[in-house]
Amino acid sequence: MNNALGRFATVLVCFLGVTVFSAQAQEGKQLQQNYSYHGQAVVLDIEVGRVEVIATDESEVRVEVEVVASQSSWFNMWQQGDVSEIEIDADEQNDRLVLKLNHQDDLKQNWRVYLPRDAATDVDIGIGEVEVAGLENDLAIDLGVGRVVVNNQHRYRDIELSSGVGEVQVRHNGEKVKVDQALVSQSYEQSSATGQYQLLVSVGVGQVEVSY
């Protein structure tokens, strides 16, 4: 009996210790960083979250990220996902600036990125939402599940939009444009001899909304 009580007490102490550690863990964090811009393409690599890309007349890239530990799994109840060591990982590769977090498992990310309007942009995101406004260069978005909204008033040379399972909505100069529709997928393609740059949006499951 005493042995049983002893084991119970040990387990209780360990549980309380984990609880106290969890309560002290940092579950949310705000990150900010600026990067010099010299014409390089900007790549955003995100697993789960929301991205807002805003065009500016500035000569630098400004990034604001809100990071929150996910509470979606039973295992996380024991970890509580301390985010104190999460930082923005910037990899400058010749003509590209690749931005992501140094650790992305079990995190929800809310990115707000201010870019020079002539910056070519590539967004790769697993699950979430992407909003882009005002850019005037190549834009490529690859989203697994979620919603993409693009409002770039620019005459593109090539536009390719697709949703594997979902809806594609397109407006050109304020007028709704007809899209191609299959059983569960929708797509839209357009080419212009007088346009510049490419707009490419691919969503596995979800919605695409584009105005140009």
Side-chain angles (χ1 to χ4, degrees), residues 30-209:
Q30 300 284 342
L31 305 172
Q32 292 185 340
Q33 193 60 261
N34 293 8
Y35 304 93
S36 60
Y37 176 73
H38 44 80
Q40 71 271 43
V42 177
V43 180
L44 305 176
D45 184 357
I46 298 161
E47 289 187 4
V48 178
R50 184 178 185 276
V51 183
E52 183 180 7
V53 180
I54 303 169
T56 73
D57 294 320
E58 301 174 3
S59 58
E60 66 177 2
V61 175
R62 292 191 290 121
V63 180
E64 301 171 357
V65 186
E66 178 186 12
V67 182
V68 180
S70 174
Q71 303 296 317
S72 60
S73 70
W74 174 263
F75 184 67
N76 280 340
M77 188 179 75
W78 300 91
Q79 298 189 88
Q80 293 294 316
D82 185 7
V83 301
S84 60
E85 296 185 1
I86 301 298
E87 299 293 345
I88 300 173
D89 184 1
D91 183 11
E92 297 200 49
Q93 308 171 354
N94 298 324
D95 59 348
R96 298 203 314 165
L97 172 63
V98 181
L99 301 174
K100 61 181 180 180
L101 297 184
N102 59 343
H103 175 79
Q104 301 201 55
D105 292 343
D106 298 320
L107 293 179
K108 295 178 182 178
Q109 311 170 40
N110 187 359
W111 289 66
R112 178 170 290 178
V113 184
Y114 299 89
L115 297 180
R117 65 182 64 255
D118 64 342
T121 307
D122 188 339
V123 181
D124 188 356
I125 178 170
I127 301 174
E129 184 174 357
V130 181
E131 292 190 16
V132 181
L135 293 181
E136 298 177 357
N137 205 322
D138 289 333
L139 173 61
I141 301 173
D142 189 352
L143 170 63
V145 179
R147 178 169 175 256
V148 173
V149 178
V150 177
N151 187 5
N152 291 346
Q153 298 304 315
H154 179 75
R155 182 180 292 277
Y156 287 95
R157 182 183 70 248
D158 296 300
I159 298 177
E160 296 181 14
L161 314 174
S162 67
S163 174
V165 179
E167 185 178 14
V168 174
Q169 297 180 5
V170 182
R171 289 187 177 275
H172 180 49
N173 294 330
E175 298 292 328
K176 191 172 182 179
V177 178
K178 183 179 179 180
V179 303
D180 296 323
Q181 183 168 357
L183 185 62
V184 295
S185 65
Q186 293 188 3
S187 62
Y188 173 78
E189 293 187 13
Q190 181 267 340
S191 295
S192 171
T194 60
Q196 283 185 301
Y197 310 119
Q198 290 183 317
L199 172 59
L200 310 175
V201 179
S202 175
V203 174
V205 179
Q207 189 169 4
V208 179
E209 300 176 26

